[in-house]
Amino acid sequence: MFRDGRYVALTRKQFAVLEVLVAAEGGVISAESLLERAWDENADPFTNAVRITVSALRKRLGEPWLIATVPGVGYRIDTGEPA
């Protein structure tokens, strides 16, 4: 994928998470929903894989951060609009 004209290599999991968030069009997606949609049915529901993957994805994409955390709710693409 490209951001600001620069190529950004993503893992399959990072791309899957980004795809789910973009498809939500600024809506908030819970960590549980991301786990269901970007991982397979064997994913451990108590894993911190979503948090780790989102953190790594933010670092890969660079600033300004595209993925916002909505405390206690989930994640969304930061469109600059309030959640």
Side-chain angles (χ1 to χ4, degrees):
M1 96 164 261
F2 286 86
R3 179 165 188 207
D4 297 330
R6 123 185 114 79
Y7 179 74
V8 179
L10 299 178
T11 67
R12 275 187 249 168
K13 206 56 70 185
Q14 290 168 345
F15 187 82
V17 167
L18 185 60
E19 191 173 41
V20 171
L21 291 172
V22 167
E25 299 178 337
V28 179
I29 302 293
S30 70
E32 294 81 13
S33 184
L34 276 173
L35 194 63
E36 288 171 8
R37 295 162 70 182
W39 276 259
D40 65 24
E41 65 277 355
N42 298 319
D44 178 0
F46 301 106
T47 184
N48 60 359
V50 171
R51 185 178 53 79
I52 291 168
T53 301
V54 168
S55 177
L57 184 54
R58 281 183 178 133
K59 288 176 186 167
R60 289 256 176 121
L61 295 174
E63 292 186 23
W65 303 128
L66 289 178
I67 303 171
T69 299
V70 180
V73 183
Y75 303 95
R76 68 181 178 91
I77 295 294
D78 191 357
T79 59
E81 301 288 320

